[in-house]
Amino acid sequence: MSTSPDSAPHDDPLEPMLSRVSVGTKYLREPAPSHDELLRMATAALRAPDHAGLVPYRFAVVRGAAKQDLANLFESAALAQGKSAEQAQRDRERATAPPLLVAVIARIDAGHPLATVHEQWIALGGALANFLTAAHALGYGGKMLSGSKVRDPSVVSAFCRPGETLVGWMVLGTPQGVGRPKFDKPTPAELLGEWPGSAGPTDTPHR
């Protein structure tokens, strides 16, 4: 019996990839991934395609008392942007509510002779996808968050070395319930097409 990607059998080797969805903070609880589990996720990240093997990214785990430090940074950034005290408090909670956060930091070498800038960003995206898929395969949920805080100088300087870019934070924990995709995306058949040759692609979009 054939199955759709959304109803893949549990013994399908692609099941962790085909069943992963983003899980927001309000649906995450303790326990968070252990150090050894985070190392496995980082190992999966390193398996992403990476032209010239530059590894143009790194991760920084935020947990325990460090979440309070991040909350202070988020609150200060919010107030500096002119947000109200109530909004600043909500920004604080973006750091304290997740069981664990992992900062994603880009290390793009714009002058590399082989790997272009867009290839390095693609490598980072592949690593991020592998990290989150590995978390799902180990029974955890999570998603990537960013926002204006990634451009706040005080937040950036707390995470980045010279030449680095703060991309955002993954929130991770144990999911409550079964999530569903948030967006209505094209079907696999709409996504996968045949190249028509040198005449070039048609103007027909996915939809």
Side-chain angles (χ1 to χ4, degrees):
M1 182 180 68
S2 63
T3 59
S4 69
D6 291 334
S7 60
H10 290 296
D11 59 354
D12 183 346
L14 295 183
E15 193 275 337
M17 297 181 68
L18 301 181
S19 62
R20 196 208 77 81
V21 296
S22 292
V23 182
T25 297
K26 69 178 180 178
Y27 299 110
L28 297 175
R29 300 290 184 272
E30 297 284 354
S34 68
H35 178 70
D36 286 345
E37 288 170 324
L38 289 168
L39 287 176
R40 295 192 71 192
M41 296 172 202
T43 300
L46 288 167
R47 300 281 69 79
D50 180 5
H51 189 191
L54 297 183
V55 190
Y57 52 83
R58 64 183 180 88
F59 306 112
V61 179
V62 183
R63 57 184 157 193
K67 292 201 296 182
Q68 292 297 328
D69 289 343
L70 184 59
N72 293 338
L73 286 171
F74 280 4
E75 182 179 22
S76 296
L79 294 173
Q81 292 168 12
K83 292 184 178 181
S84 68
E86 182 181 358
Q87 292 172 316
Q89 178 61 32
R90 285 200 295 268
D91 274 11
R92 273 193 75 87
E93 292 167 0
R94 297 183 196 280
T96 58
L100 181 143
L101 302 92
V102 179
V104 181
I105 300 157
R107 306 187 295 183
I108 306 300
D109 181 357
H112 196 273
L114 292 178
T116 62
V117 167
H118 77 267
E119 288 176 317
Q120 293 176 54
W121 280 110
I122 289 170
L124 184 151
L128 173 60
N130 278 12
F131 197 109
L132 286 169
T133 301
H136 172 64
L138 292 173
Y140 297 101
K143 69 182 296 184
M144 184 70 188
L145 301 173
S146 56
S148 61
K149 294 181 286 297
V150 301
R151 297 182 293 276
D152 181 84
S154 61
V155 178
V156 171
S157 64
F159 282 92
C160 294
R161 299 164 184 152
E164 294 183 333
T165 302
L166 180 59
V167 179
W169 298 266
M170 291 179 278
V171 293
L172 296 169
T174 299
Q176 304 301 296
V178 179
R180 291 188 174 276
K182 183 178 179 180
F183 301 104
D184 183 20
K185 295 186 177 181
T187 66
E190 291 173 315
L191 187 66
L192 183 66
E194 298 287 339
W195 180 55
S198 58
T202 67
D203 293 332
T204 304
H206 291 319
R207 300 186 175 178

